[in-house]
Amino acid sequence: MVRAAVLPAVGAPLEIAEIELPEPGPGQVRVRLAAAGVCHSDLSLADGTMRVPTPCVLGHEGAGTVLAVGEGVTAVRAGSEVILNWAPSCGTCPACLIGEGWLCDNALAGAASVYARRPDGTELHPGLNVAAFAEETVVSENCLLPVPDGIDLADAALLGCAVLTGYGAVHHSAAVREGESVVVYGVGGVGLATLQAARIAGAGRIVAVDVSPGKEALALAAGATDYVLASDKTAKEVRGLTGGRGADVAVECVGRAQTIRTAWESTRRGGRTTVVGIGGKDQQVTFNALEIFHWGRTLAGCVYGNCDPAVDLPVLADHARSGRLDLRSLVTDRIDLDGIPAAFDAMRQARGGRALIVF
C-alpha cells in the first residue's frame, strides 16, 4: 500500500488515498519517488483538455530510486537512480523511423493499462504512463532514464518534462541563434526553463510576458532582459523593445488562442513562433490568407521539446553542473502529496513557477 493522488474522473477533485501497488512483472520496474513536479499538463488531464482513461494516478515529471525489477529487466537494478520518461519512443513506428521519436505513435500506449488498484478493487490507470503522484510507482523499463552524474535526485525530476520541453523549444523547434531576440509567453515552470534555455543559446534581447506582476523577479533571474505585463498592447510593446521589427522568435507556453495569436504578431517579418502550451479544442486561432503571405512567419507546434531524452539529458546535465542551468530556481513551492490540489489552484490563477512534490 502506498499513498497517491487519484483522479476518480475528469473534472473530479483529486483524492489523496492509499492504493495497492503490485510487484513488478516482466519488463517492469518499481520505483520509490524522491520528487515529482506538478505540471500544467496534469491540470489539463484533470480538467479534460487532454483525455486519458480514469480513474488514474496523475504525475509524469519525476525521479527516484529503483526498489525492484521484474523478469528480463537489464537497464537498471535495485538502487539505480532514475528519471521517469513519460513518453518513451517505440523505435519502430513511422515517426520513430524518421527520427521524430517525440511524435511516436505508441508513446502513451501504457496509459490505458491497469497498473494498480484501490483497496476496494477499483482498477487504476497510470495517467501519462508513469503515475508520479505517488510514493512509489511501477513502470515499464523503457520509461526510465539514468540520473546523470552530479545531479541531485530531487532536482533531476525537473529534467523529465519542464526543462526538456523548454530547452527543446528553444534549441530544436525554434533553433534560436546567438544574438537573436526571443519573447516567451507564460512564466510558469516551462516558461522559466525556456527563458534559461534562450539565455544559454546566446539570445540577445529576451522578453518575458505574463499576466502576473509577481513573476517579474523570477523571469529576470531566469535570463529575461525585459518583462511585459500581458494586455491588448503586448505585441506592440514587444515590437517596441525589438527595434520596431518584432522578435526573431516567440515561444508560447500558455495554450490559449489569444496568446498564440499575440505571440505570432509579436515576431518580425519571417519570424518563428513555437507553441508549447496545450490548449483545448475550443481555442480557435485564425489568420487571413494575405497576412500569412505578407508576413512570411512560421508557426509550429512542439511536443516534449522535440527532444530525444537519451541524447538531450546529458547535455542538460552538463549545463546544470556548470551553473549555466539553475534547476532549483524553477521551483517556487516545495510541497507534499496533500499540497497538489493547492498547486493546481495556483496554476489556474497563474501564480508561481514549478511546484515540486518532495517525498
Side-chain angles (χ1 to χ4, degrees), residues 26-168:
Q28 294 183 323
V29 179
R30 186 170 181 137
V31 178
R32 176 188 293 122
L33 273 297
V38 182
C39 179
H40 205 282
S41 297
D42 298 308
L43 180 59
S44 295
L45 293 169
D47 66 18
T49 299
M50 296 190 297
R51 291 283 183 171
V52 291
T54 56
C56 66
V57 174
L58 298 177
H60 61 281
E61 180 184 89
T65 304
V66 172
L67 294 177
V69 301
E71 181 183 351
V73 172
T74 59
V76 297
R77 56 185 174 82
S80 297
E81 293 187 343
V82 292
I83 296 170
L84 301 180
N85 177 13
W86 62 272
S89 54
C90 70
T92 59
C93 72
C96 287
L97 290 175
I98 61 171
E100 297 179 351
W102 56 90
L103 299 178
C104 176
D105 293 342
N106 304 305
L108 295 181
S113 66
V114 174
Y115 97 111
R117 284 175 170 78
R118 302 193 78 154
D120 64 3
T122 301
E123 296 179 338
L124 295 172
H125 304 280
L128 281 179
N129 283 328
V130 295
F133 287 173
E135 295 168 330
E136 298 176 14
T137 188
V138 172
V139 300
S140 295
E141 180 182 18
N142 66 347
C143 288
L144 299 176
L145 295 160
V147 173
D149 292 340
I151 302 300
D152 177 80
L153 186 55
D155 293 343
L158 301 165
L159 294 173
C161 183
V163 178
L164 272 175
T165 300
Y167 170 84

Side-chain angles (χ1 to χ4, degrees), residues 227-289:
Y227 190 79
V228 172
L229 276 178
S231 71
D232 58 0
K233 299 179 180 178
T234 297
K236 183 177 180 181
E237 289 186 59
V238 173
R239 288 194 295 271
L241 290 169
T242 52
R245 299 177 67 235
D248 296 299
V249 171
V251 182
E252 200 272 0
C253 303
V254 181
R256 293 179 182 168
Q258 181 179 355
T259 314
I260 294 169
R261 175 75 205 199
T262 302
W264 187 81
E265 289 179 354
S266 66
T267 61
R268 63 171 173 82
R269 195 174 188 187
R272 312 182 304 278
T273 298
T274 287
V275 179
V276 174
I278 300 171
K281 293 180 180 179
D282 60 327
Q283 296 291 311
Q284 299 292 315
V285 188
T286 61
F287 305 90
N288 68 58

Side-chain angles (χ1 to χ4, degrees), residues 2-20 42 46 54-59 115 117-120 122-125 131-135 336-342 344 348 357 359:
V2 300
R3 295 182 77 233
V6 177
L7 178 69
V10 171
L14 287 176
E15 299 175 2
I16 310 302
E18 289 195 333
I19 65 171
E20 296 178 354
D42 298 308
T54 56
C56 66
V57 174
L58 298 177
Y115 97 111
R117 284 175 170 78
R118 302 193 78 154
D120 64 3
T122 301
E123 296 179 338
L124 295 172
H125 304 280
F133 287 173
E135 295 168 330
D336 58 18
L337 276 174
D338 296 293
I340 299 176
F344 275 18
R348 292 186 183 100
I357 306 161
F359 294 91

Side-chain angles (χ1 to χ4, degrees), residues 326-350:
D326 184 354
L327 295 173
R328 294 188 181 181
S329 69
L330 304 179
V331 179
T332 53
D333 298 279
R334 291 179 179 265
I335 62 174
D336 58 18
L337 276 174
D338 296 293
I340 299 176
F344 275 18
D345 287 340
M347 286 190 291
R348 292 186 183 100
Q349 298 166 23

